[in-house]
Amino acid sequence: MNTGMRLMEMKNNKFFGRFYGILLLLLLAFFFWGIFKILSPDNFGTPEKMYYYLQSSIIYSVGACGFYFIVVMGLFDFSIGANVVLSAIVGVTMAKQFGYVGLLVGAMSCGLLIGFCNGILYAKLRIPSMIVTVGLMLVFESLAYFASGGQKQSLDSSLQFFGKAPGNMILALIAFLLTFFILKYTKVGTYCYAIGSDEYVAKNMGINVNRYKILGFVLLHFFVGIMAILSVSFGTSMTATTGMASMSRNFTPLMGTFFGLAFRKYGTPVPAMIIGEFIISIIFNGFIALGAPTTIQNVVTGAALLTIVALTTRPAKGVVVK
């Protein structure tokens, strides 16, 4: 029996079928780990380094959870990176006065406020979310620059509990459980899927589409506020950027969201986003271990992502793919 037949048998098994998506992703993680371990046995894949890859990947996993709420509705947001920078700077500034309370409340409140502004402006202006959020990205970048005075903002060494285990793991786990709960047990999760499936049908069913889109932006940026706490704690400082430089922070969490969308048919979007980001971290660090140029890293990483999503997302024959 070949590997494909074994996977199909596992998929149809009553017990293992429930975990098929997770097992498939773990196999992919092991596959990429094996490739880079063979190519660079001394510089890649030791238990200590794998633990480091995991800790860096959970930062993006939290952002991916937030992204999921709007991407599943067919929306997009380019201001994620600017929010990470601005929320981190606000959190660090407030932490100097109020300690951990200032860091948590400052970053998450800033994220919530940005999400509300994005959602309201998107709903009122009635123009595509990508255009609205590109404009707002420039505004948030400038606000972060003014708030920091153009200087690097460093988090005090006594306030870096969320920069390493167990602090980062605890905060990330709370974010993952909250995402799982909202998606599985609340109207918000159900309506996000309904709007993404067919917005006009959802509206005719009595769903206030605009309200839930605004709520989707609020949830997205709340989780990005948590991502900002993890980022500045992990890196110990944050520097404001301008000229759309923050945009590069958008794409790694978005890649994790793609894994969640591709594997939601197995009922496992949150674990898929976590393991997906771990796979991306393995690939990035594998190329670093090989000393490959950044351009080659980007080409192969993008190709690997497209391949994985294409193989796991097979629309029915005749279905229009938008």
Side-chain angles (χ1 to χ4, degrees):
M1 185 182 292
N2 59 35
T3 304
M5 293 177 67
R6 288 181 187 278
L7 287 174
M8 188 58 67
E9 183 180 328
M10 187 182 296
K11 183 179 179 181
N12 296 326
N13 184 281
K14 285 186 179 179
F15 177 76
F16 288 107
R18 297 163 55 193
F19 306 101
Y20 177 78
I22 295 174
L23 291 171
L24 194 58
L25 282 165
L26 291 175
L27 279 175
L28 284 171
F30 181 74
F31 171 75
F32 285 109
W33 174 84
I35 288 177
F36 288 109
K37 188 64 179 173
I38 292 170
L39 295 176
S40 182
D42 297 328
N43 300 325
F44 176 83
T46 62
E48 294 78 14
K49 288 182 177 177
M50 293 299 287
Y51 187 53
Y52 175 81
Y53 305 158
L54 176 64
Q55 292 199 66
S56 62
S57 69
I58 63 170
I59 298 173
Y60 301 110
S61 302
V62 172
C65 288
F67 240 137
Y68 190 84
F69 289 104
I70 66 161
V71 174
V72 80
M73 289 192 284
L75 304 173
F76 194 76
D77 194 318
F78 274 109
S79 66
I80 306 304
N83 183 7
V84 170
V85 176
L86 180 56
S87 294
I89 288 173
V90 171
V92 170
T93 303
M94 291 187 64
K96 292 174 182 175
Q97 296 292 324
F98 306 106
Y100 280 115
V101 175
L103 176 64
L104 293 168
V105 174
M108 285 192 269
S109 299
C110 183
L112 279 171
L113 184 61
I114 288 174
F116 183 72
C117 290
N118 284 16
I120 289 291
L121 285 174
Y122 165 74
K124 296 297 182 186
L125 295 177
R126 300 176 65 82
I127 54 179
S129 57
M130 283 191 279
I131 298 173
V132 174
T133 54
V134 165
L136 289 169
M137 171 184 61
L138 295 170
V139 173
F140 299 144
E141 280 187 345
S142 300
L143 289 175
Y145 187 83
F146 288 127
S148 65
Q151 303 295 318
K152 180 171 71 174
Q153 298 296 305
S154 299
L155 186 64
D156 192 274
S157 58
S158 64
L159 299 172
Q160 295 174 7
F161 175 70
F162 299 111
K164 57 185 178 182
N168 55 354
M169 296 291 185
I170 293 170
L171 187 58
L173 181 62
I174 292 170
F176 299 148
L177 292 175
L178 182 60
T179 305
F180 174 79
F181 176 79
I182 293 172
L183 289 174
K184 185 143 182 97
Y185 297 108
T186 70
K187 284 198 301 186
V188 178
T190 304
Y191 289 174
C192 283
Y193 285 126
I195 293 168
S197 177
D198 194 318
E199 184 173 329
Y200 294 105
V201 172
K203 190 176 290 184
N204 290 332
M205 290 172 62
I207 297 174
N208 188 328
V209 172
N210 274 345
R211 177 188 298 171
Y212 284 94
K213 284 184 175 178
I214 294 170
L215 192 52
F217 278 104
V218 171
L219 285 170
L220 160 62
H221 286 279
F222 171 72
F223 282 97
V224 173
I226 299 175
M227 180 181 165
I229 295 168
L230 294 170
S231 296
V232 74
S233 300
F234 187 72
T236 71
S237 65
M238 185 64 70
T239 303
T241 56
T242 56
M244 296 189 178
S246 66
M247 192 182 293
S248 61
R249 292 177 180 270
N250 295 343
F251 297 108
T252 306
L254 180 63
M255 291 166 77
T257 304
F258 288 156
F259 276 93
L261 291 171
F263 281 79
R264 74 173 183 178
K265 62 186 176 184
Y266 303 118
T268 56
V270 176
M273 286 185 275
I274 299 168
I275 303 173
E277 291 288 0
F278 185 49
I279 292 172
I280 293 165
S281 181
I282 288 173
I283 295 174
F284 274 132
N285 285 285
F287 279 117
I288 291 171
L290 292 174
T294 305
T295 50
I296 300 298
Q297 294 178 32
N298 291 338
V299 168
V300 178
T301 304
L305 176 68
L306 289 173
T307 304
I308 292 167
V309 174
L311 290 176
T312 53
T313 307
R314 294 180 179 176
K317 188 177 181 180
V319 169
V320 176
V321 179
K322 295 185 285 186

